[in-house]
Amino acid sequence: MSFHALKKLTVVLALMMMLLAGCNMKQNADIQTNTPVVIEDLKYNEVMKEEKTDIVEFNFTFPQVQNPKENPFIESINNSYTKALEEQKVRATTENLATAKENYLFSKENADASFIMNGYQINYSVTTNDGKYLSVFQMFSEFAGGAHPFTYFKAQNFDLIEEKSIKLSELFGLSEEETKKNVLEQVFETIKAQEANEGIIYYESYKTDCDTAYNPEHFYMKDGKIIFFYQAYDIAPYAAGLREFEIKVDKGN
């Protein structure tokens, strides 16, 4: 190959390398500068009556992610929340309404029984929305009589760049079994510190309870941290409420 041909080939290769590097920089820039998604509310609000008396109220709010580019993954997230809302509406207008009617009629037939309007609420908060991760924390509250509402929580975590739901074990880079062991060790450490310094009371059987009630889906992300949670009654009395624990992926950090 002549000197001029070799020189020309070298220039072409250099330009190709620059173009490839530019493409990689563009992809990384898209990830790093990706803006948070916009969340809208999907709502169902209704008060139902019996004999002109309000007997039950429903206030359901689920998230919907704006999807101007019609991204299939975003659409799947929205569809899952839409389906969940529809399922709750069906339950509300059948099972929950029937319970409220029974409570109302019982109070009418028993002078010593007072009726308090039943109520069902579903709310959410977005704990992380940084363009890569989306973390949604949901609260479900049901009151159909009794001393207090029954409340439970759910969380969903998404990687919007990789377009997938996030598993707790993936954040640890461990197996499901190893992840559970790591999480429980940190939970036990926190509980010991809380009992000693904050006076929070847990069941004496909390270690067994933490193991039994462990759910790898019970976590959300906030401020770059992983928050693992247990429902009321799982490991402590109702008065202790939702028990949340900050979990480190690397305990040495």
Side-chain angles (χ1 to χ4, degrees):
M1 182 180 292
S2 68
F3 173 77
H4 291 293
L6 180 61
K7 184 177 180 181
K8 184 176 181 180
L9 178 60
T10 302
V11 172
V12 171
L13 289 173
L15 288 172
M16 289 178 65
M17 293 298 293
M18 290 176 64
L19 287 171
L20 289 172
C23 289
N24 289 334
M25 289 176 63
K26 176 62 167 61
Q27 291 174 353
N28 291 336
D30 286 344
I31 293 174
Q32 293 171 4
T33 61
N34 211 328
T35 56
V37 293
V38 177
I39 309 293
E40 298 176 337
D41 290 343
L42 183 64
K43 293 187 175 185
Y44 167 65
N45 300 301
E46 189 169 2
V47 176
M48 295 187 173
K49 300 177 180 290
E50 182 72 11
E51 298 177 342
K52 298 183 179 180
T53 299
D54 294 343
I55 61 169
V56 61
E57 182 176 12
F58 302 103
N59 292 295
F60 301 158
T61 306
F62 284 79
Q64 290 283 278
V65 183
Q66 283 190 3
N67 190 20
K69 296 183 179 180
E70 298 183 352
N71 180 289
F73 180 65
I74 297 296
E75 184 179 1
S76 70
I77 293 174
N78 289 337
N79 288 342
S80 68
Y81 284 123
T82 300
K83 180 181 178 182
L85 175 61
E86 292 303 318
E87 290 174 348
Q88 289 292 337
K89 286 171 64 176
V90 170
R91 181 169 177 250
T93 54
T94 54
E95 178 184 337
N96 300 150
L97 177 59
T99 298
K101 286 183 177 180
E102 289 176 7
N103 292 340
Y104 173 72
L105 294 175
F106 180 82
S107 67
K108 283 191 66 177
E109 296 168 359
N110 295 269
D112 295 335
S114 59
F115 176 75
I116 301 176
M117 184 171 67
N118 293 186
Y120 297 82
Q121 294 187 1
I122 302 173
N123 295 311
Y124 74 91
S125 60
V126 177
T127 58
T128 295
N129 180 15
D130 59 12
K132 176 172 174 56
Y133 294 125
L134 175 64
S135 193
V136 179
F137 188 52
Q138 292 183 291
M139 183 195 76
F140 297 73
S141 179
E142 305 179 357
F143 179 76
H148 51 71
F150 171 68
T151 305
Y152 61 102
F153 300 83
K154 292 182 179 181
Q156 301 84 38
N157 303 279
F158 307 101
D159 186 325
L160 301 178
I161 302 299
E162 298 293 332
E163 296 189 342
K164 65 179 183 179
S165 296
I166 302 171
K167 292 184 177 181
L168 187 59
S169 58
E170 292 175 335
L171 296 176
F172 277 85
L174 301 172
S175 67
E176 296 284 353
E177 184 177 349
E178 291 172 324
T179 299
K180 178 179 179 180
K181 180 181 178 182
N182 196 311
V183 169
L184 290 179
E185 287 176 353
Q186 295 190 58
V187 168
F188 295 158
E189 289 177 5
T190 302
I191 287 176
K192 287 181 181 179
Q194 289 180 340
E195 287 187 320
N197 302 320
E198 300 177 28
I200 298 175
I201 299 175
Y202 291 87
Y203 299 140
E204 291 183 3
S205 58
Y206 74 81
K207 287 190 175 181
T208 300
D209 299 331
C210 285
D211 187 10
T212 302
Y214 176 89
N215 186 330
E217 295 182 359
H218 284 176
F219 78 96
Y220 61 88
M221 296 178 287
K222 185 176 182 179
D223 300 328
K225 302 173 182 177
I226 299 172
I227 309 298
F228 190 82
F229 62 89
Y230 284 93
Q231 308 288 350
Y233 288 124
D234 276 354
I235 61 176
Y238 181 85
L242 176 74
R243 302 312 307 147
E244 297 179 293
F245 303 89
E246 181 181 325
I247 302 297
K248 296 179 181 178
V249 173
D250 182 357
K251 295 179 65 176
N253 289 343

